[in-house]
Amino acid sequence: RSSTHRVKYSLDHRQHNPKPKCNDGKLTNTTFLPAELCKEDTLTYSTDKYDFHSAVVDMLQRCDEELVGKFRTLHDGTTTTPKLDNFTVPVISLTRMCQKGKLQEAQEYLSDAAASDARFLDVFDSFVVEKVLPHFKERLRAAGAHEGDKPLTFYYQRPPTLRIQPGPSRAYVRAHNDAEYGHQNGELNFWLPLTSRRKTGVDLLCESKEGVGDYHPLKAEYGEVVSFHGTSCRHYVGANHSLWT
């Protein structure tokens, strides 16, 4: 993944701040999300208009293949059209530093690549501003949490976190909620797959409400994005036992 949870967080020592401020000292005016907004919601989009796949392919082709990875070629060395499910990652970049691996180095490299890739950020920004936020604002209005004719300020993570999970592998993400790492109630997670879960057998499993433990796959395909309240709802990703990424 292109980022990692880095916040040192403790339920015993955290102090609640009901009026958080930006770096410029101004109030963010953020608030808790209504319960209706914390429910899972699926949004479809045009993969032609918002072509994340080719943008990420272009980005990865410019990365250091010995650290981040490369696309498979045929046995005779022939290069085929790069597809994300054919991307391979060096074993050393899947291994943690404590085991003499380069996982953290690869994460930082990919994070820098995503943050500086103009084409990828252009697709991402357009998608958030033109597709996600209008839909989110309408959901707020429908829940009675916002008057539709009034301006509303949103904050979003930029760049987003890119997750590459090659197979076959035993690596997985343990069940957790993001509050364990200091994330706030007013945040909403968006899961946007770029390869087929039907080929990899990989999906994000999430509980429907905090603490109920009814884990279920989000079942999003390419061309769909699913929002869920990852701050409170525990979620995890299983191992990829397939030959795809």
Side-chain angles (χ1 to χ4, degrees):
R1 54 184 288 161
S2 62
S3 65
T4 183
H5 293 294
R6 299 182 183 279
V7 178
K8 291 184 178 180
Y9 175 66
S10 167
L11 286 171
D12 295 329
H13 297 96
R14 178 181 172 187
Q15 294 181 349
H16 175 59
N17 181 3
K19 295 183 178 181
K21 296 181 179 180
C22 298
N23 291 335
D24 59 8
K26 296 181 180 179
L27 292 175
T28 62
N29 294 316
T30 52
T31 185
F32 279 20
L33 288 175
E36 186 65 28
L37 271 295
C38 296
K39 296 179 180 179
E40 292 168 20
D41 181 70
T42 301
L43 177 65
T44 60
Y45 66 94
S46 168
T47 56
D48 291 326
K49 184 175 183 180
Y50 306 105
D51 191 357
F52 284 104
H53 186 278
S54 64
V56 174
V57 165
D58 287 349
M59 181 199 306
L60 293 177
Q61 286 182 311
R62 292 191 293 272
C63 290
D64 181 351
E65 65 178 39
E66 293 186 359
L67 182 62
V68 177
K70 62 182 179 180
F71 292 92
R72 289 189 184 96
T73 57
L74 300 181
H75 291 300
D76 61 2
T78 303
T79 300
T80 59
T81 301
K83 296 181 65 176
L84 292 176
D85 57 15
N86 271 325
F87 191 74
T88 62
V89 179
V91 173
I92 196 170
S93 295
L94 300 172
T95 308
R96 296 185 180 279
M97 187 183 303
C98 61
Q99 298 173 314
K100 299 183 179 180
K102 294 185 176 182
L103 174 61
Q104 289 82 353
E105 183 180 347
Q107 287 179 327
E108 292 177 5
Y109 184 104
L110 188 59
S111 181
D112 290 341
S116 59
D117 192 287
R119 181 190 176 193
F120 171 70
L121 292 176
D122 181 62
V123 174
F124 175 66
D125 289 336
S126 297
F127 176 68
V128 172
V129 173
E130 299 169 3
K131 195 70 178 177
V132 174
L133 293 185
H135 179 70
F136 189 26
K137 186 176 181 180
E138 175 56 30
R139 290 185 68 199
L140 285 168
R141 187 202 63 76
H146 178 68
E147 296 181 21
D149 58 341
K150 291 185 177 181
L152 188 62
T153 299
F154 292 96
Y155 297 86
Y156 65 93
Q157 177 186 328
R158 183 183 190 269
T161 298
L162 293 178
R163 178 177 176 79
I164 302 175
Q165 187 165 356
S169 172
R170 293 178 295 176
Y172 66 95
V173 176
R174 69 173 182 85
H176 67 284
N177 65 33
D178 294 344
E180 297 175 25
Y181 301 98
H183 288 265
Q184 307 299 304
N185 183 278
E187 298 180 24
L188 200 62
N189 299 53
F190 289 82
W191 175 258
L192 190 155
L194 298 181
T195 59
S196 173
R197 66 182 182 85
R198 301 179 188 275
K199 291 182 70 172
T200 63
V202 174
D203 208 333
L204 187 143
L205 289 88
C206 184
E207 55 183 0
S208 60
K209 292 183 180 180
E210 182 178 6
V212 297
D214 58 342
Y215 295 105
H216 57 278
L218 295 188
K219 296 183 178 181
E221 298 289 354
Y222 184 45
E224 297 179 324
V225 57
V226 179
S227 63
F228 66 99
H229 197 242
T231 297
S232 62
C233 295
R234 289 175 296 174
H235 51 281
Y236 71 93
V237 178
N240 181 359
H241 298 296
S242 78
L243 297 175
W244 310 100
T245 296

